[in-house]
């Protein structure tokens, strides 16, 4: 598949990324510049950064793969995942952004430490679990990059990993969030344009949407239903009760993931929170809907014997690649396609790497281990932690654990079970205490591991395992908070805690 | 039939998408930046 045009286009894309990193490095003078791009992100850079942090390699390969195996009942993913961006901006973003500016938070752990009056325990727990989850997620992202590069160039697995790993690490380590967000804008633009250009020809080549749906209905009538009435086959797991848990998992779990929620602190102005939820949803939903339709189209082509998927364990994940190859054999398109998939994967990978580096340097090193550390020292530690995290996950991805897919789902489930309750209760419930936050994180983590294990190795559960863990985590928050001393009124006032999104008195109608 | 889809699928999925868009539009219209 490798060809000079493909190599040239990918080479150009890499050069642009390195250029962004080099430009961004000149803007970095303090830790705040590095971690939050100096709180300077404009509307589009901020909105696309949120979308790109959520939209990963799984979005292209996994979404079309899920469409291929499960048909229309899987379409809810295209509403729930984009909604995570809106949920994050509205439910977490408005309040955290305002607080971040007045209280000087650099990470969400800064907020949790002040809100729960627990500068060490809650901070350390939240930072450590955030780092671990991000690392697991990183291994999965590298695995996705590898699928694409190996398929495109036929180069060995480790070379593919090394090339992509070195490029991403280079621009992220020198440019911090400036580089990640501006690279995200370019990557997001490529992704949107690419999918808008490439999905329609694949759908047309399969005979159009009406024909595709007719073929799908012939395979299984429930493929064109809104959900599967019951779980009667391995692919028929999107039942109404599962979809409910899926909605909570994706919408809330992804929204409170550290590499997503931390972005709200970097927006320049509060007025962005007015339309960013709708804009992020629309962009993401349209792009992902098209990717899903490609999955349906490829299933239809395969059923009609016009296309064959590669002989692989995860054959469905090749749907998008095989579909585009079928519809557009032209090599120029193919080169552009390679860049699209790389853009999708890299835009999440860089944000995850930065989250690992900054969480360690700011929350663990500066705030717990060495409070006397200078700004320069924290920056250096952040860069070292980023490189070590990237290197470690690259090594893991060269020989990926057999249970990689399970681990990634565990990662999202653990994010939901450990972060959602402390963050939501901290922001909106004045009765939540440090005891409650610690109990909800620990119980959520243990419950996620137990139910995740049960579902995978003992007996399948009717809903996603994380829903049980979330319920236990919430229960632990309520019980432990009731049993421990409330936080001081001063802290609750400083952190604008209560059942409102904007502080009462602050949200009087005001026209601009 | 709606692009070869049963009507109820089109109505349920399309309705959910429209509902989300309406709610987010209302949020945008009502949001006032804190002073």
């Amino acid at each position: 598949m490798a060809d000079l045009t493909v190599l040239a286009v990918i080479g150009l894309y890499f050069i642009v990324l390195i250029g962004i990193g080099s430009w961004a490095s000149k803007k970095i003078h303090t830790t705040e510049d590095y971690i939050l791009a100096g709180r300077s992100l404009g509307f589009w850079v901020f909105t696309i950064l949120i979308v790109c942090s959520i939209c990963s390699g799984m979005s292209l390969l996994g979404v079309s793969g899920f469409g291929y195996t499960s048909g229309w009942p899987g379409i809810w993913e295209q509403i729930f995942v984009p909604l995570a961006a809106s949920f994050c901006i509205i439910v977490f973003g408005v309040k955290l952004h305002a607080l971040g500016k007045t209280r000087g938070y650099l990470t969400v752990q800064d907020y949790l430490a002040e809100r729960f009056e627990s500068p060490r325990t809650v901070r350390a727990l939240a930072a450590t679990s955030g780092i671990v989850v991000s690392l697991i997620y990183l291994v999965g992202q590298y695995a996705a990059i590898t699928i694409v590069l190996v398929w495109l160039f036929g180069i060995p697995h480790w070379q593919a990993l090394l090339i992509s790993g070195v490029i991403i690490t280079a621009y992220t380590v020198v440019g911090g969030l400036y580089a990640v967000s501006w690279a995200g804008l370019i990557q997001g633009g490529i992704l949107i344009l690419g999918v808008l250009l490439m999905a329609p020809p694949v759908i047309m080549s399969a005979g159009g949407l009406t024909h595709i749906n007719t073929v799908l209905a012939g395979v299984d009538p429930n493929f064109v239903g809104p959900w599967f009435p019951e779980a009667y086959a391995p692919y028929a797991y999107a039942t109404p009760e599962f979809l409910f848990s899926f909605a909570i998992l994706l919408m809330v779990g992804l929204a409170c993931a550290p590499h997503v929620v931390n972005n709200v602190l970097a927006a320049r102005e509060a007025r962005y929170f007015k339309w960013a939820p709708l804009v992020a949803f629309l962009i993401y939903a349209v792009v992902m809907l098209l990717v899903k339709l490609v999955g349906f189209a490829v299933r239809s082509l395969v059923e009609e014997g016009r296309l064959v998927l590669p002989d692989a364990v995860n054959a469905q994940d090749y749907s998008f690649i095989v579909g585009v190859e079928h519809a557009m054999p032209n090599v120029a398109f193919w080169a552009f396609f390679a860049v699209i998939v790389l853009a999708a994967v890299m835009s999440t990978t860089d944000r995850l790497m930065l989250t690992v580096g900054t969480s360690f340097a700011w929350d663990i090193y500066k705030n717990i281990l060495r409070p006397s550390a200078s700004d320069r020292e924290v920056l250096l530690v952040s860069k070292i932690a980023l490189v070590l995290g990237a290197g470690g996950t690259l090594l893991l991805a060269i020989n990926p654990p057999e249970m990689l897919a399970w681990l990634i789902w565990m990662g999202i489930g653990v994010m939901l079970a450990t972060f959602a309750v402390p963050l939501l209760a901290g922001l909106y419930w004045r009765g939540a205490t440090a005891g409650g936050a610690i109990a909800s994180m620990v119980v959520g983590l243990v419950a996620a591991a137990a139910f995740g294990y049960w579902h995978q190795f003992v007996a399948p559960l009717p809903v996603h395992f994380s829903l049980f863990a979330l319920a236990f985590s919430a229960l632990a928050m309520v019980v432990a908070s009731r049993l421990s001393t409330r936080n001081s009124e001063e802290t609750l006032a400083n952190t604008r805690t209560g059942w409102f999104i904007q502080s009462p008195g602050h949200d009087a109608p005001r026209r601009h | 039939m709606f692009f070869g889809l049963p009507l109820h699928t089109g109505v349920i999925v399309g309705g959910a998408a429209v509902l989300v868009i309406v709610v987010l539009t209302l949020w945008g219209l009502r949001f006032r930046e804190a002073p």
Side-chain angles (χ1 to χ4, degrees):
Chain A
M1 208 49 74
D3 168 279
L4 266 184
T5 323
V6 181
L7 285 176
V9 173
I10 293 182
L12 181 71
Y13 169 64
F14 283 167
I15 290 170
V16 170
L17 291 181
I18 295 293
I20 291 176
S22 148
W23 161 81
S25 68
K26 296 190 178 73
K27 295 174 78 81
I28 290 169
H29 307 291
T30 63
T31 311
E32 184 175 286
D33 292 337
Y34 190 75
I35 298 181
L36 290 181
R39 297 182 210 274
S40 71
L41 302 187
F43 179 83
W44 287 104
V45 182
F46 166 67
T47 308
I48 300 288
L49 174 65
I50 298 255
V51 170
C52 277
S53 301
I54 300 175
C55 175
S56 60
M58 267 175 74
S59 305
L60 283 182
L61 306 181
V63 164
S64 51
F66 188 22
Y68 179 93
T69 50
S70 291
W72 279 88
I75 198 72
W76 296 98
E77 188 184 21
Q78 273 47 71
I79 293 181
F80 302 151
V81 176
L83 212 45
S86 313
F87 189 90
C88 176
I89 296 168
I90 294 175
V91 179
F92 300 132
V94 176
K95 212 181 249 192
L96 282 176
H97 176 260
L99 284 171
K101 274 200 165 167
T102 49
R103 313 296 296 170
Y105 302 147
L106 290 191
T107 62
V108 169
Q109 283 81 346
D110 281 345
Y111 162 74
L112 292 172
E114 181 173 19
R115 165 62 183 86
F116 292 114
E117 295 173 341
S118 175
R120 295 176 77 89
T121 319
V122 169
R123 183 193 288 276
L125 255 177
T128 311
S129 52
I131 290 171
V132 171
V133 169
S134 299
L135 288 173
I136 292 174
Y137 224 62
L138 258 178
V139 179
Q141 294 303 317
Y142 279 127
I145 295 187
T146 317
I147 288 182
V148 177
L149 291 183
V150 169
W151 176 260
L152 280 173
F153 302 120
I155 54 175
H157 188 104
W158 68 271
Q159 282 182 15
L161 270 174
L162 201 65
I163 294 168
S164 50
V166 166
I167 302 281
I168 308 173
T169 310
Y171 73 78
T172 309
V173 81
V174 298
L177 193 64
Y178 273 115
V180 168
S181 57
W182 281 93
L185 190 68
I186 301 224
Q187 289 157 337
I190 293 174
L191 182 68
I192 294 163
L193 188 69
V195 171
L196 288 178
L197 279 176
M198 297 200 166
V202 181
I203 297 163
M204 298 322 281
S205 78
L209 198 52
T210 308
H211 177 74
I212 292 169
N213 285 333
T214 312
V215 175
L216 287 182
V219 180
D220 181 336
N222 288 321
F223 273 172
V224 289
W227 44 67
F228 291 102
E230 55 183 331
Y232 53 85
Y235 62 80
Y237 55 87
T239 56
E241 59 271 25
F242 179 84
L243 286 171
F244 171 74
S245 63
F246 207 43
I248 308 271
L249 172 71
L250 296 177
M251 200 171 75
V252 186
L254 283 173
C256 67
H259 68 285
V260 178
V261 70
N262 273 298
N263 295 326
V264 301
L265 298 171
R268 187 169 61 221
E269 292 180 42
R271 66 187 165 91
Y272 301 161
F273 292 80
K274 187 176 172 69
W275 291 114
L278 180 65
V279 173
F281 177 81
L282 285 177
I283 292 177
Y284 202 168
V286 168
V287 170
M288 288 301 116
L289 174 69
L290 286 172
V291 175
K292 187 69 117 197
L293 294 181
V294 168
F296 298 162
V298 172
R299 180 63 185 256
S300 166
L301 286 165
V302 168
E303 291 297 334
E304 292 184 315
R306 294 161 63 193
L307 198 61
V308 181
L309 284 191
D311 183 23
V313 187
N314 54 344
Q316 74 276 6
D317 287 344
Y318 287 85
S319 301
F320 197 86
I321 300 181
V322 174
V324 172
E325 194 183 21
H326 169 78
M328 281 169 288
N330 186 314
V331 78
F333 273 114
W334 193 245
F336 188 41
F337 171 75
V339 173
I340 296 170
V341 183
L342 282 177
V345 181
M346 290 169 93
S347 66
T348 310
T349 312
D350 55 9
R351 188 65 185 99
L352 279 165
M353 280 165 47
L354 189 66
T355 306
V356 169
T358 55
S359 293
F360 179 79
W362 182 253
D363 292 306
I364 310 263
Y365 188 78
K366 164 79 181 174
N367 278 286
I368 296 174
L369 298 178
R370 253 178 73 87
S372 63
S374 69
D375 212 42
R376 241 182 128 81
E377 193 177 328
V378 175
L379 253 180
L380 182 68
V381 171
S382 183
K383 292 179 177 190
I384 294 173
L386 192 157
V387 173
L388 288 179
T393 44
L394 265 176
L395 281 178
L396 271 178
I398 286 179
N399 198 359
E402 265 183 42
M403 302 302 297
L404 183 62
W406 181 73
L407 266 179
I408 293 171
W409 277 108
M410 274 303 288
I412 307 178
V414 167
M415 277 193 276
L416 176 69
T418 53
F419 292 112
V421 174
L423 209 48
L424 286 171
L427 288 166
Y428 296 102
W429 182 38
R430 293 173 73 87
T433 68
I438 294 166
S440 67
M441 277 194 260
V442 173
V443 169
L445 186 67
V446 173
F451 284 102
Y453 180 86
W454 184 275
H455 177 74
Q456 185 69 27
F457 301 107
V458 183
L461 297 164
V463 299
H464 195 269
F465 71 85
S466 61
L467 192 65
F468 297 103
L470 183 71
F472 274 92
S473 173
L475 190 68
M477 167 60 85
V478 174
V479 173
S481 291
R482 288 281 178 222
L483 294 176
S484 51
T485 323
R486 259 171 91 100
N487 287 118
S488 70
E489 284 301 318
E490 192 192 350
T491 298
L492 293 177
N494 283 342
T495 52
R496 300 189 192 176
T497 305
W499 185 236
F500 50 80
I501 287 184
Q502 285 178 309
S503 307
H506 278 239
D507 54 355
R510 204 166 72 104
R511 297 237 168 242
H512 292 274
Chain B
M1 295 293 266
F2 178 77
F3 284 106
L5 277 183
L7 189 64
H8 72 285
T9 306
V11 169
I12 293 172
V13 175
V18 169
L19 180 69
V20 169
I21 292 169
V22 168
V23 169
L24 294 178
T25 306
L26 284 176
W27 161 266
L29 290 172
R30 288 182 59 89
F31 180 83
R32 297 279 176 270
E33 191 185 338

